[in-house]
Structure formats: C-alpha cells, structure tokens
Coordinates of all heavy atoms in Angstrom, one line a residue:
V153 N 94.8 -91.7 -123.5 CA 93.4 -91.9 -123.7 C 92.9 -93.2 -123.2 O 91.8 -93.3 -122.6 CB 93.1 -91.7 -125.2 CG1 91.6 -92.0 -125.4 CG2 93.5 -90.3 -125.7
S154 N 93.7 -94.3 -123.4 CA 93.2 -95.6 -122.9 C 93.2 -95.7 -121.4 O 92.4 -96.5 -120.8 CB 94.2 -96.6 -123.4 OG 95.5 -96.5 -122.9
R155 N 93.8 -94.8 -120.7 CA 93.8 -94.8 -119.2 C 92.5 -94.2 -118.8 O 92.0 -94.5 -117.6 CB 95.0 -94.1 -118.6 CG 96.3 -94.7 -118.8 CD 97.3 -94.0 -118.2 NE 98.7 -94.5 -118.6 CZ 99.8 -93.9 -118.3 NH1 99.8 -92.8 -117.6 NH2 101.0 -94.5 -118.7
L156 N 91.9 -93.3 -119.5 CA 90.7 -92.6 -119.1 C 89.4 -93.3 -119.5 O 88.3 -93.0 -119.1 CB 90.7 -91.2 -119.8 CG 91.7 -90.3 -119.3 CD1 91.6 -88.9 -119.9 CD2 91.6 -90.0 -117.7
Y157 N 89.6 -94.4 -120.3 CA 88.5 -95.1 -120.8 C 87.7 -95.8 -119.7 O 86.4 -95.7 -119.8 CB 88.9 -96.2 -121.8 CG 87.7 -96.9 -122.5 CD1 86.8 -96.3 -123.4 CD2 87.4 -98.2 -122.1 CE1 85.7 -96.9 -123.9 CE2 86.3 -98.9 -122.6 CZ 85.4 -98.2 -123.5 OH 84.4 -98.9 -124.0
P158 N 88.2 -96.4 -118.7 CA 87.4 -96.9 -117.6 C 86.6 -95.8 -116.8 O 85.4 -96.1 -116.5 CB 88.4 -97.6 -116.7 CG 89.6 -97.9 -117.5 CD 89.6 -96.8 -118.5
V159 N 87.2 -94.7 -116.7 CA 86.4 -93.6 -116.0 C 85.2 -93.1 -116.9 O 84.1 -92.9 -116.5 CB 87.3 -92.4 -115.7 CG1 86.6 -91.2 -115.1 CG2 88.4 -92.9 -114.7
Y160 N 85.5 -93.0 -118.1 CA 84.5 -92.5 -119.1 C 83.4 -93.6 -119.2 O 82.2 -93.2 -119.2 CB 85.2 -92.3 -120.5 CG 84.3 -91.9 -121.6 CD1 83.8 -90.7 -121.7 CD2 83.9 -92.9 -122.6 CE1 83.0 -90.3 -122.7 CE2 83.0 -92.5 -123.6 CZ 82.6 -91.2 -123.7 OH 81.8 -90.8 -124.7
D161 N 83.8 -94.8 -119.3 CA 82.7 -95.9 -119.4 C 81.9 -96.0 -118.1 O 80.7 -96.3 -118.2 CB 83.5 -97.2 -119.7 CG 82.5 -98.3 -120.1 OD1 81.5 -98.0 -120.8 OD2 82.7 -99.4 -119.7
T162 N 82.5 -95.8 -117.0 CA 81.7 -95.9 -115.7 C 80.7 -94.8 -115.6 O 79.6 -95.1 -115.2 CB 82.8 -95.7 -114.5 OG1 83.7 -96.7 -114.6 CG2 82.0 -95.8 -113.3
H163 N 81.0 -93.7 -116.1 CA 79.9 -92.6 -116.0 C 78.9 -92.7 -117.1 O 77.7 -92.2 -116.9 CB 80.6 -91.2 -116.1 CG 81.4 -90.9 -114.9 ND1 80.8 -90.7 -113.6 CD2 82.7 -90.7 -114.7 CE1 81.7 -90.4 -112.8 NE2 82.9 -90.5 -113.3
L164 N 79.2 -93.3 -118.3 CA 78.2 -93.3 -119.3 C 77.5 -94.6 -119.5 O 76.5 -94.7 -120.2 CB 79.0 -93.0 -120.6 CG 79.5 -91.6 -120.8 CD1 80.1 -91.4 -122.1 CD2 78.4 -90.5 -120.5
A165 N 78.0 -95.7 -118.7 CA 77.4 -97.0 -118.8 C 75.9 -97.0 -118.4 O 75.1 -97.7 -119.1 CB 78.2 -98.0 -118.0
P166 N 75.4 -96.3 -117.4 CA 74.0 -96.4 -117.0 C 73.1 -95.6 -118.0 O 71.8 -95.7 -117.8 CB 74.0 -95.8 -115.6 CG 75.3 -95.3 -115.3 CD 76.2 -95.6 -116.3
L167 N 73.6 -94.8 -118.8 CA 72.8 -94.0 -119.7 C 72.5 -94.7 -121.0 O 73.2 -95.5 -121.5 CB 73.6 -92.6 -120.0 CG 73.8 -91.8 -118.9 CD1 74.7 -90.6 -119.2 CD2 72.5 -91.2 -118.3
K168 N 71.3 -94.3 -121.5 CA 71.0 -94.8 -122.8 C 71.9 -94.1 -123.8 O 72.4 -93.0 -123.6 CB 69.4 -94.5 -123.1 CG 68.5 -95.3 -122.2 CD 67.1 -94.9 -122.5 CE 66.1 -95.5 -121.5 NZ 64.8 -95.0 -121.7
A169 N 72.0 -94.7 -125.0 CA 72.9 -94.2 -126.0 C 72.6 -92.8 -126.5 O 73.5 -92.0 -126.7 CB 73.0 -95.2 -127.2
K170 N 71.3 -92.5 -126.6 CA 71.0 -91.2 -127.2 C 71.0 -90.1 -126.1 O 70.8 -89.0 -126.4 CB 69.6 -91.2 -127.9 CG 68.4 -91.6 -127.0 CD 67.2 -91.6 -127.8 CE 66.0 -91.9 -126.9 NZ 64.7 -91.9 -127.6
H171 N 71.2 -90.5 -124.8 CA 71.2 -89.5 -123.8 C 72.6 -89.4 -123.1 O 72.6 -89.1 -121.9 CB 70.1 -89.8 -122.8 CG 68.8 -89.8 -123.2 ND1 68.2 -88.6 -123.7 CD2 67.9 -90.8 -123.5 CE1 67.0 -88.9 -124.1 NE2 66.7 -90.1 -124.0
Q172 N 73.6 -89.7 -123.8 CA 74.9 -89.6 -123.2 C 75.4 -88.3 -122.8 O 76.4 -88.0 -122.1 CB 76.0 -90.4 -124.0 CG 75.8 -91.8 -124.0 CD 76.9 -92.6 -124.6 OE1 77.7 -92.0 -125.4 NE2 76.9 -93.9 -124.6
Y173 N 74.8 -87.2 -123.3 CA 75.0 -85.8 -123.0 C 74.6 -85.5 -121.5 O 75.1 -84.5 -120.9 CB 74.3 -84.9 -123.9 CG 72.7 -84.9 -123.8 CD1 72.1 -84.2 -122.9 CD2 72.0 -85.9 -124.5 CE1 70.7 -84.2 -122.7 CE2 70.6 -86.0 -124.3 CZ 70.0 -85.1 -123.4 OH 68.6 -85.2 -123.3
W174 N 73.8 -86.4 -121.0 CA 73.2 -86.1 -119.7 C 74.2 -86.0 -118.6 O 74.1 -85.2 -117.7 CB 72.2 -87.2 -119.4 CG 71.3 -87.0 -118.2 CD1 71.3 -87.7 -117.0 CD2 70.3 -85.9 -118.1 NE1 70.4 -87.1 -116.2 CE2 69.7 -86.0 -116.8 CE3 69.9 -84.9 -118.9 CZ2 68.8 -85.2 -116.4 CZ3 68.9 -84.0 -118.5 CH2 68.4 -84.2 -117.2
F175 N 75.3 -86.7 -118.7 CA 76.4 -86.7 -117.6 C 77.0 -85.2 -117.6 O 77.2 -84.7 -116.5 CB 77.4 -87.7 -117.9 CG 78.6 -87.5 -117.0 CD1 78.5 -87.9 -115.6 CD2 79.8 -87.0 -117.5 CE1 79.6 -87.7 -114.8 CE2 80.9 -86.9 -116.6 CZ 80.8 -87.2 -115.3
G176 N 77.2 -84.6 -118.8 CA 77.8 -83.3 -118.8 C 76.9 -82.2 -118.3 O 77.2 -81.3 -117.5
V177 N 75.5 -82.4 -118.6 CA 74.5 -81.5 -118.1 C 74.4 -81.6 -116.6 O 74.4 -80.5 -115.9 CB 73.1 -81.8 -118.8 CG1 72.0 -81.0 -118.1 CG2 73.2 -81.6 -120.2
L178 N 74.4 -82.7 -116.1 CA 74.3 -82.9 -114.6 C 75.6 -82.3 -113.9 O 75.5 -81.7 -112.9 CB 74.2 -84.3 -114.3 CG 72.8 -85.0 -114.5 CD1 72.8 -86.4 -114.2 CD2 71.7 -84.2 -113.9
L179 N 76.7 -82.5 -114.5 CA 78.0 -82.0 -114.0 C 77.9 -80.4 -113.9 O 78.2 -79.8 -112.9 CB 79.1 -82.4 -114.8 CG 80.5 -82.2 -114.2 CD1 80.7 -82.9 -112.9 CD2 81.6 -82.6 -115.2
V180 N 77.5 -79.8 -115.0 CA 77.3 -78.3 -114.9 C 76.3 -77.8 -114.0 O 76.6 -76.9 -113.2 CB 77.0 -77.8 -116.4 CG1 76.7 -76.3 -116.4 CG2 78.2 -78.1 -117.3
V181 N 75.1 -78.5 -114.0 CA 74.1 -78.0 -113.1 C 74.4 -78.2 -111.6 O 74.2 -77.4 -110.8 CB 72.7 -78.8 -113.5 CG1 71.7 -78.5 -112.4 CG2 72.2 -78.3 -114.8
R182 N 75.1 -79.3 -111.3 CA 75.4 -79.6 -109.9 C 76.5 -78.6 -109.5 O 76.5 -78.1 -108.3 CB 75.9 -81.1 -109.7 CG 74.8 -82.0 -109.7 CD 75.2 -83.4 -109.5 NE 74.1 -84.3 -109.5 CZ 74.2 -85.6 -109.8 NH1 75.3 -86.1 -110.2 NH2 73.1 -86.3 -109.7
G183 N 77.4 -78.3 -110.4 CA 78.4 -77.2 -110.1 C 77.8 -75.9 -109.7 O 78.2 -75.3 -108.8
V184 N 76.8 -75.5 -110.5 CA 76.1 -74.3 -110.2 C 75.4 -74.3 -108.9 O 75.4 -73.3 -108.1 CB 75.1 -74.0 -111.4 CG1 74.2 -72.8 -111.1 CG2 75.8 -73.6 -112.7
V185 N 74.7 -75.4 -108.6 CA 74.0 -75.6 -107.3 C 74.9 -75.5 -106.2 O 74.6 -74.8 -105.2 CB 73.1 -76.9 -107.4 CG1 72.6 -77.1 -106.0 CG2 72.0 -76.7 -108.4
Y186 N 76.0 -76.2 -106.3 CA 77.0 -76.2 -105.2 C 77.6 -74.8 -105.0 O 77.8 -74.4 -103.9 CB 78.0 -77.3 -105.4 CG 77.5 -78.7 -105.2 CD1 78.0 -79.7 -106.0 CD2 76.6 -79.0 -104.2 CE1 77.5 -81.0 -105.8 CE2 76.2 -80.2 -104.1 CZ 76.6 -81.3 -104.9 OH 76.1 -82.5 -104.7
I187 N 77.9 -74.1 -106.1 CA 78.4 -72.8 -105.9 C 77.4 -71.8 -105.3 O 77.7 -71.0 -104.4 CB 78.9 -72.2 -107.3 CG1 80.1 -73.0 -107.7 CG2 79.1 -70.7 -107.3 CD1 80.6 -72.7 -109.1
T188 N 76.1 -71.9 -105.6 CA 75.1 -71.1 -105.0 C 74.9 -71.6 -103.5 O 74.5 -70.7 -102.7 CB 73.7 -71.3 -105.7 OG1 73.3 -72.6 -105.7 CG2 73.7 -70.6 -107.1
G189 N 75.3 -72.8 -103.2 CA 75.3 -73.2 -101.8 C 76.4 -72.5 -101.0 O 76.3 -72.4 -99.7
L190 N 77.4 -72.0 -101.6 CA 78.5 -71.3 -100.9 C 78.1 -69.9 -100.5 O 78.7 -69.3 -99.6 CB 79.8 -71.3 -101.8 CG 80.4 -72.7 -102.0 CD1 81.6 -72.5 -103.0 CD2 80.9 -73.3 -100.7
I191 N 77.2 -69.4 -101.3 CA 76.7 -68.0 -100.9 C 75.9 -68.1 -99.6 O 75.2 -69.1 -99.3 CB 75.7 -67.5 -102.1 CG1 76.5 -67.5 -103.4 CG2 75.2 -66.2 -101.7 CD1 75.6 -67.2 -104.6
P192 N 76.0 -67.1 -98.8 CA 75.3 -67.1 -97.5 C 73.8 -67.4 -97.7 O 73.2 -66.9 -98.6 CB 75.5 -65.8 -96.9 CG 76.7 -65.3 -97.5 CD 76.8 -65.8 -98.9
F193 N 73.3 -68.2 -96.9 CA 71.9 -68.8 -97.0 C 70.9 -67.7 -97.0 O 70.8 -67.0 -96.0 CB 71.6 -69.8 -95.9 CG 70.3 -70.5 -96.0 CD1 70.0 -71.3 -97.0 CD2 69.2 -70.0 -95.2 CE1 68.7 -71.9 -97.1 CE2 68.0 -70.7 -95.3 CZ 67.7 -71.5 -96.2
T194 N 70.1 -67.5 -98.1 CA 69.0 -66.6 -98.1 C 67.8 -67.3 -98.8 O 68.0 -68.4 -99.4 CB 69.4 -65.3 -98.9 OG1 69.7 -65.6 -100.2 CG2 70.5 -64.5 -98.2
E195 N 66.7 -66.6 -98.8 CA 65.6 -67.2 -99.5 C 65.8 -67.2 -101.0 O 65.3 -68.1 -101.7 CB 64.3 -66.4 -99.2 CG 63.8 -66.6 -97.8 CD 64.6 -65.7 -96.7 OE1 65.2 -64.8 -97.2 OE2 64.4 -66.0 -95.5
V196 N 66.6 -66.3 -101.5 CA 66.8 -66.2 -102.9 C 67.6 -67.4 -103.4 O 67.3 -68.1 -104.4 CB 67.5 -64.9 -103.3 CG1 67.9 -64.9 -104.8 CG2 66.6 -63.7 -102.9
T197 N 68.7 -67.7 -102.6 CA 69.5 -68.9 -103.0 C 68.7 -70.2 -102.9 O 68.9 -71.1 -103.8 CB 70.8 -69.0 -102.2 OG1 70.5 -69.1 -100.8 CG2 71.7 -67.8 -102.4
L198 N 67.8 -70.3 -101.9 CA 67.0 -71.4 -101.8 C 66.0 -71.6 -102.9 O 65.8 -72.7 -103.5 CB 66.3 -71.4 -100.4 CG 65.3 -72.5 -100.2 CD1 66.1 -73.9 -100.1 CD2 64.5 -72.3 -98.9
F199 N 65.5 -70.4 -103.3 CA 64.6 -70.4 -104.4 C 65.2 -70.8 -105.7 O 64.7 -71.6 -106.5 CB 63.9 -69.0 -104.6 CG 62.9 -68.8 -105.6 CD1 61.6 -69.5 -105.5 CD2 63.1 -68.2 -106.8 CE1 60.7 -69.4 -106.4 CE2 62.2 -68.0 -107.8 CZ 61.0 -68.7 -107.6
I200 N 66.4 -70.3 -106.0 CA 67.1 -70.6 -107.2 C 67.4 -72.0 -107.3 O 67.2 -72.7 -108.3 CB 68.4 -69.7 -107.4 CG1 68.0 -68.2 -107.6 CG2 69.2 -70.2 -108.5 CD1 69.1 -67.3 -107.5
T201 N 67.9 -72.6 -106.2 CA 68.3 -74.0 -106.1 C 67.1 -74.9 -106.3 O 67.1 -75.8 -107.1 CB 69.0 -74.3 -104.8 OG1 70.1 -73.5 -104.6 CG2 69.4 -75.7 -104.7
A202 N 66.0 -74.5 -105.7 CA 64.8 -75.3 -105.7 C 64.2 -75.3 -107.2 O 63.8 -76.3 -107.7 CB 63.8 -74.8 -104.8
I203 N 64.3 -74.2 -107.8 CA 63.8 -74.0 -109.2 C 64.6 -74.9 -110.2 O 64.1 -75.7 -111.0 CB 63.7 -72.6 -109.7 CG1 62.6 -71.8 -108.9 CG2 63.4 -72.5 -111.1 CD1 61.2 -72.3 -109.1
I204 N 65.9 -74.8 -110.0 CA 66.8 -75.5 -111.0 C 66.6 -77.0 -110.7 O 66.5 -77.8 -111.8 CB 68.3 -75.1 -110.7 CG1 68.6 -73.7 -111.2 CG2 69.2 -76.1 -111.4 CD1 69.9 -73.2 -110.8
M205 N 66.6 -77.5 -109.6 CA 66.5 -78.9 -109.2 C 65.1 -79.4 -109.6 O 65.0 -80.5 -110.1 CB 66.8 -79.2 -107.8 CG 68.2 -79.1 -107.5 SD 69.2 -80.3 -108.4 CE 70.2 -79.3 -109.5
T206 N 64.1 -78.7 -109.5 CA 62.7 -79.1 -109.8 C 62.6 -79.2 -111.3 O 62.0 -80.2 -111.8 CB 61.7 -78.1 -109.3 OG1 61.8 -77.9 -107.9 CG2 60.3 -78.6 -109.6
V207 N 63.1 -78.3 -112.1 CA 63.1 -78.4 -113.6 C 63.9 -79.6 -114.0 O 63.5 -80.4 -114.8 CB 63.6 -77.1 -114.2 CG1 63.9 -77.3 -115.7 CG2 62.7 -75.9 -114.0
L208 N 65.1 -79.8 -113.3 CA 65.9 -81.0 -113.7 C 65.2 -82.3 -113.3 O 65.2 -83.2 -114.1 CB 67.2 -80.9 -113.0 CG 68.4 -81.6 -113.5 CD1 68.6 -81.2 -115.0 CD2 69.6 -81.4 -112.8
L209 N 64.5 -82.3 -112.3 CA 63.8 -83.5 -111.9 C 62.6 -83.8 -112.8 O 62.4 -85.0 -113.2 CB 63.2 -83.3 -110.4 CG 62.4 -84.5 -109.9 CD1 63.2 -85.7 -109.7 CD2 61.7 -84.1 -108.6
F210 N 61.9 -82.8 -113.2 CA 60.8 -83.0 -114.1 C 61.3 -83.5 -115.5 O 60.7 -84.3 -116.2 CB 59.8 -81.8 -114.2 CG 58.9 -81.7 -113.1 CD1 58.8 -80.6 -112.3 CD2 58.1 -82.8 -112.7 CE1 58.0 -80.5 -111.2 CE2 57.2 -82.7 -111.6 CZ 57.2 -81.5 -110.9
Y211 N 62.4 -82.8 -115.9 CA 63.0 -83.3 -117.2 C 63.4 -84.7 -117.2 O 63.2 -85.5 -118.1 CB 64.1 -82.3 -117.6 CG 64.8 -82.7 -118.9 CD1 64.1 -82.2 -120.1 CD2 65.9 -83.4 -119.1 CE1 64.6 -82.6 -121.3 CE2 66.5 -83.7 -120.3 CZ 65.8 -83.2 -121.4 OH 66.3 -83.5 -122.7
T212 N 64.0 -85.1 -116.1 CA 64.4 -86.5 -115.9 C 63.2 -87.4 -115.9 O 63.3 -88.5 -116.4 CB 65.2 -86.6 -114.6 OG1 66.3 -85.7 -114.6 CG2 65.8 -88.0 -114.5
L213 N 62.2 -87.1 -115.3 CA 61.0 -87.8 -115.2 C 60.4 -88.0 -116.7 O 59.8 -89.1 -116.9 CB 60.0 -87.3 -114.3 CG 60.3 -87.3 -112.8 CD1 59.3 -86.6 -112.0 CD2 60.3 -88.8 -112.3
L214 N 60.5 -87.0 -117.4 CA 59.9 -87.1 -118.8 C 60.8 -87.9 -119.7 O 60.3 -88.6 -120.5 CB 59.7 -85.6 -119.3 CG 58.5 -84.9 -118.6 CD1 58.5 -83.5 -119.2 CD2 57.2 -85.6 -118.8
V215 N 62.1 -87.6 -119.7 CA 63.0 -88.2 -120.6 C 63.4 -89.6 -120.3 O 63.6 -90.4 -121.2 CB 64.2 -87.3 -120.8 CG1 65.3 -87.9 -121.8 CG2 63.8 -86.0 -121.4
R216 N 63.6 -89.9 -119.0 CA 64.1 -91.2 -118.5 C 65.4 -91.6 -119.3 O 65.4 -92.6 -120.0 CB 63.1 -92.2 -118.7 CG 61.8 -91.9 -117.9 CD 61.1 -93.2 -117.6 NE 59.9 -92.9 -116.8 CZ 59.7 -93.2 -115.5 NH1 60.6 -93.9 -114.9 NH2 58.6 -92.8 -114.9
P217 N 66.5 -90.9 -119.0 CA 67.8 -91.2 -119.7 C 68.5 -92.4 -119.2 O 69.5 -92.8 -119.8 CB 68.7 -89.9 -119.4 CG 68.1 -89.5 -118.1 CD 66.7 -89.8 -118.1
Y218 N 68.1 -93.1 -118.2 CA 68.8 -94.2 -117.6 C 68.2 -95.5 -118.0 O 67.0 -95.6 -118.2 CB 68.8 -94.2 -116.1 CG 69.5 -92.9 -115.6 CD1 68.9 -91.8 -115.1 CD2 70.9 -92.9 -115.6 CE1 69.6 -90.7 -114.7 CE2 71.6 -91.8 -115.1 CZ 71.0 -90.7 -114.7 OH 71.6 -89.5 -114.3
K219 N 69.1 -96.5 -118.1 CA 68.6 -97.9 -118.6 C 68.0 -98.6 -117.4 O 67.0 -99.3 -117.6 CB 69.9 -98.7 -119.0 CG 70.6 -98.2 -120.2 CD 71.8 -99.1 -120.5 CE 72.7 -98.5 -121.5 NZ 73.9 -99.2 -121.7
D220 N 68.5 -98.4 -116.2 CA 68.0 -99.2 -115.0 C 67.1 -98.3 -114.2 O 67.4 -97.1 -114.0 CB 69.2 -99.7 -114.2 CG 68.8 -100.6 -113.1 OD1 67.7 -101.2 -113.2 OD2 69.6 -100.9 -112.3
K221 N 66.1 -98.9 -113.7 CA 65.1 -98.1 -112.8 C 65.7 -97.7 -111.5 O 65.3 -96.7 -110.9 CB 63.8 -98.8 -112.7 CG 63.0 -98.9 -113.9 CD 61.7 -99.7 -113.7 CE 60.9 -99.7 -114.9 NZ 59.6 -100.4 -114.8
K222 N 66.6 -98.6 -111.0 CA 67.3 -98.3 -109.7 C 68.2 -97.0 -109.8 O 68.1 -96.2 -108.9 CB 68.1 -99.5 -109.2 CG 67.2 -100.7 -108.9 CD 68.1 -101.9 -108.6 CE 67.2 -103.1 -108.4 NZ 68.1 -104.3 -108.3
V223 N 68.9 -96.9 -110.8 CA 69.7 -95.7 -111.0 C 68.9 -94.5 -111.2 O 69.1 -93.4 -110.7 CB 70.6 -95.9 -112.2 CG1 71.5 -94.7 -112.5 CG2 71.5 -97.1 -112.0
F224 N 67.7 -94.6 -111.9 CA 66.8 -93.6 -112.2 C 66.2 -93.1 -110.8 O 66.2 -91.9 -110.5 CB 65.7 -94.0 -113.1 CG 64.5 -93.0 -113.2 CD1 64.8 -91.9 -114.0 CD2 63.3 -93.3 -112.6 CE1 63.7 -90.9 -114.1 CE2 62.3 -92.4 -112.8 CZ 62.5 -91.2 -113.5
L225 N 65.8 -94.0 -109.9 CA 65.3 -93.7 -108.6 C 66.4 -93.0 -107.8 O 66.1 -92.0 -107.1 CB 64.8 -94.9 -108.0 CG 64.2 -94.7 -106.5 CD1 62.9 -93.8 -106.6 CD2 63.9 -96.0 -105.9
L226 N 67.6 -93.5 -107.8 CA 68.7 -92.9 -107.1 C 68.9 -91.5 -107.5 O 69.1 -90.6 -106.7 CB 69.9 -93.8 -107.2 CG 71.1 -93.3 -106.4 CD1 70.8 -93.5 -104.9 CD2 72.3 -94.2 -106.7
E227 N 68.9 -91.2 -108.8 CA 69.1 -89.9 -109.3 C 68.0 -88.9 -108.9 O 68.2 -87.8 -108.6 CB 69.2 -89.9 -110.9 CG 69.8 -88.7 -111.5 CD 71.2 -88.4 -111.1 OE1 72.0 -89.3 -111.0 OE2 71.5 -87.3 -111.0
C228 N 66.8 -89.4 -109.0 CA 65.7 -88.5 -108.6 C 65.7 -88.2 -107.1 O 65.4 -87.1 -106.7 CB 64.3 -89.3 -108.9 SG 64.0 -89.3 -110.6
L229 N 66.1 -89.1 -106.3 CA 66.3 -88.9 -104.8 C 67.4 -87.9 -104.6 O 67.3 -87.1 -103.7 CB 66.5 -90.2 -104.1 CG 65.3 -91.1 -103.9 CD1 65.6 -92.4 -103.3 CD2 64.1 -90.4 -103.2
S230 N 68.5 -88.0 -105.4 CA 69.6 -87.0 -105.2 C 69.1 -85.6 -105.6 O 69.5 -84.6 -105.0 CB 70.8 -87.4 -106.0 OG 70.6 -87.2 -107.3
F231 N 68.2 -85.5 -106.6 CA 67.7 -84.2 -107.0 C 66.8 -83.7 -105.8 O 66.9 -82.4 -105.5 CB 66.8 -84.3 -108.3 CG 67.6 -84.5 -109.5 CD1 67.0 -85.1 -110.6 CD2 69.0 -84.1 -109.7 CE1 67.8 -85.4 -111.7 CE2 69.7 -84.3 -110.8 CZ 69.1 -85.0 -111.8
L232 N 66.0 -84.5 -105.3 CA 65.2 -84.0 -104.1 C 66.0 -83.6 -103.0 O 65.7 -82.6 -102.2 CB 64.2 -85.1 -103.7 CG 63.1 -85.4 -104.6 CD1 62.3 -86.6 -104.2 CD2 62.2 -84.2 -104.8
N233 N 67.2 -84.3 -102.7 CA 68.1 -83.9 -101.7 C 68.7 -82.6 -102.0 O 68.9 -81.8 -101.0 CB 69.2 -85.0 -101.5 CG 70.0 -84.8 -100.3 OD1 69.6 -84.1 -99.4 ND2 71.2 -85.4 -100.3
L234 N 69.1 -82.3 -103.2 CA 69.7 -81.0 -103.5 C 68.7 -79.9 -103.5 O 69.1 -78.7 -103.4 CB 70.3 -81.1 -104.9 CG 71.6 -81.9 -104.9 CD1 72.0 -82.0 -106.4 CD2 72.7 -81.3 -104.1
T235 N 67.4 -80.1 -103.5 CA 66.5 -79.0 -103.4 C 66.3 -78.5 -102.0 O 65.7 -77.5 -101.7 CB 65.0 -79.4 -103.9 OG1 64.6 -80.5 -103.1 CG2 65.0 -79.7 -105.3
R236 N 66.9 -79.3 -101.1 CA 66.9 -78.9 -99.6 C 65.4 -79.0 -99.1 O 65.1 -78.4 -98.1 CB 67.5 -77.6 -99.3 CG 68.9 -77.5 -99.8 CD 69.4 -76.1 -99.5 NE 70.7 -76.0 -100.1 CZ 71.4 -74.8 -100.3 NH1 70.8 -73.7 -99.8 NH2 72.5 -74.7 -100.8
V237 N 64.6 -79.8 -99.7 CA 63.2 -79.9 -99.3 C 63.1 -81.3 -98.7 O 62.3 -81.5 -97.8 CB 62.3 -79.7 -100.5 CG1 60.8 -79.9 -100.0 CG2 62.4 -78.3 -101.0
F238 N 63.7 -82.3 -99.3 CA 63.6 -83.7 -98.9 C 64.2 -83.9 -97.6 O 65.3 -83.5 -97.3 CB 64.1 -84.6 -100.0 CG 63.9 -86.0 -99.8 CD1 62.6 -86.5 -99.7 CD2 65.0 -86.8 -99.7 CE1 62.5 -87.9 -99.5 CE2 64.8 -88.2 -99.5 CZ 63.6 -88.7 -99.4

C-alpha cells in the first residue's frame, strides 16, 4: 500500500477534499468515451460523445472541483478536445 501512495496522492492532490470522487468519475467517463471512439465513426457516436462531454463540462463549471484555476482550465480544454468540436 505504501508503494501506491505517491500515485494516489498525485491524482488526488489537485482536487478539493470534498470532490475526491471526481478522479474516479473522470476515469469511467473517459473510458466510455474512448471505447465509443473505437466504434466506426458515425453521427450517433459523435452525438453520444458530444453530449457526455458537454454534460461533464457544465458540471465541472458549476462544481469547480479543483483547487487551482490552471488545472481547472486544462481540464475544461481536455473536455472540449474530447467532444471533437474544439
């Protein structure tokens, strides 16, 4: 367990204490988005991906789970990148 502590701390350090669940949510959602990216490109997969990432982006804008604004901006830009619109 002590060997995994640096990895655990690295992922949870930028998050506020009450929003430490956010890392797990992002891991699951990104996995779903990347799996839908493996499906041949259609309008349906683009629509599903865009809806998921837009909801996640708006939730992030409302909750602001990060301590630092730079990390928050980087996360929002990565959501825009995953929508394939940016």
Side-chain angles (χ1 to χ4, degrees):
V153 175
S154 63
R155 292 181 190 174
L156 295 177
Y157 184 73
V159 175
Y160 179 77
D161 190 41
T162 301
H163 289 292
L164 296 181
L167 295 170
K168 294 177 183 174
K170 64 181 180 178
H171 297 294
Q172 289 187 350
Y173 65 90
W174 192 245
F175 173 71
V177 170
L178 290 180
L179 189 65
V180 170
V181 169
R182 285 182 179 151
V184 169
V185 169
Y186 288 141
I187 288 172
T188 59
L190 294 174
I191 299 171
F193 181 73
T194 62
E195 288 82 14
V196 175
T197 58
L198 179 65
F199 181 71
I200 291 171
T201 304
I203 291 296
I204 291 172
M205 288 296 112
T206 304
V207 167
L208 202 58
L209 177 66
F210 283 127
Y211 183 76
T212 305
L213 289 172
L214 291 175
V215 173
R216 299 204 180 248
Y218 296 102
K219 296 176 189 174
D220 191 16
K221 290 183 181 180
K222 294 175 188 174
V223 177
F224 173 72
L225 179 65
L226 184 65
E227 191 69 36
C228 290
L229 289 175
S230 73
F231 289 152
L232 288 174
N233 188 23
L234 286 175
T235 59
R236 301 177 189 171
V237 176
F238 183 61

